[in-house]
Amino acid sequence: MICIFLILFTKLIIIVNIFVNVLISELYSFIFIRVLLNLINNAFWAVKTVEKPLVTVKTEHLDNQLIIKVRDNGTGMSEDVKAKIFQPFFTTKPTGQGTGLGLSLSYDIVKAHSGELRVETKEGEGSEFIITIPIQS
């Protein structure tokens, strides 16, 4: 079963497509929610200067893996920034706006679940964070 939610905030559109029949026995959802919140929060930050902001969250079940994609149509990032974003205390936000720990902690949480967190991005065109987690069949 797939659930699709369309949430409209003043100017921001969020599309959430959740695959609900996937069972992940070792996934501690209360911890993993932090990962999703960090990625969505960063996506909101990235689209705040875009005329028609869009954030999407999609899930897929493919070859015994759960794939979660958080995409935005924000500013994207340079290769230099991309190379550093999972490092602790690295942030592109102004002083006082971010600790630089969100993506680092998210990366560690996903790794602790034998998963992978990566980003595809192009400067000026947005970013997509992709989480891949193995699941029990």
Side-chain angles (χ1 to χ4, degrees):
M1 174 194 287
I2 295 179
C3 296
I4 299 176
F5 302 93
L6 178 61
I7 306 166
L8 297 172
F9 293 98
T10 51
K11 282 182 13 178
L12 178 65
I13 298 174
I14 306 171
I15 299 172
V16 183
N17 167 357
I18 302 175
F19 190 82
V20 257
N21 281 347
V22 176
L23 299 175
I24 309 167
S25 59
E26 297 104 39
L27 184 63
Y28 298 104
S29 60
F30 63 94
I31 294 173
F32 202 76
I33 287 171
R34 178 183 299 261
V35 173
L36 294 176
L37 289 176
N38 283 334
L39 295 178
I40 292 169
N41 184 49
N42 286 349
F44 286 169
W45 185 269
V47 299
K48 73 181 203 172
T49 60
V50 175
E51 186 176 329
K52 293 183 180 181
L54 176 65
V55 174
T56 61
V57 180
K58 295 181 181 180
T59 62
E60 302 172 37
H61 179 213
L62 182 64
D63 298 330
N64 292 326
Q65 293 184 326
L66 173 64
I67 301 168
I68 303 170
K69 298 177 179 181
V70 178
R71 176 187 288 258
D72 67 69
N73 67 339
T75 55
M77 60 186 92
S78 68
E79 287 298 317
D80 184 50
V81 169
K82 180 182 173 183
K84 298 175 186 175
I85 58 167
F86 296 119
Q87 295 177 5
F89 305 109
F90 177 79
T91 184
T92 59
K93 296 176 183 171
T95 304
Q97 297 292 317
T99 61
L101 291 173
L103 287 174
S104 174
L105 288 171
S106 296
Y107 185 85
D108 290 344
I109 291 168
V110 171
K111 281 290 187 195
H113 288 88
S114 302
E116 176 188 37
L117 173 59
R118 62 187 173 86
V119 63
E120 294 178 1
T121 185
K122 191 164 186 184
E123 204 165 1
E125 294 184 18
S127 300
E128 181 174 55
F129 285 83
I130 303 163
I131 301 168
T132 306
I133 305 258
I135 57 174
Q136 303 280 328
S137 317

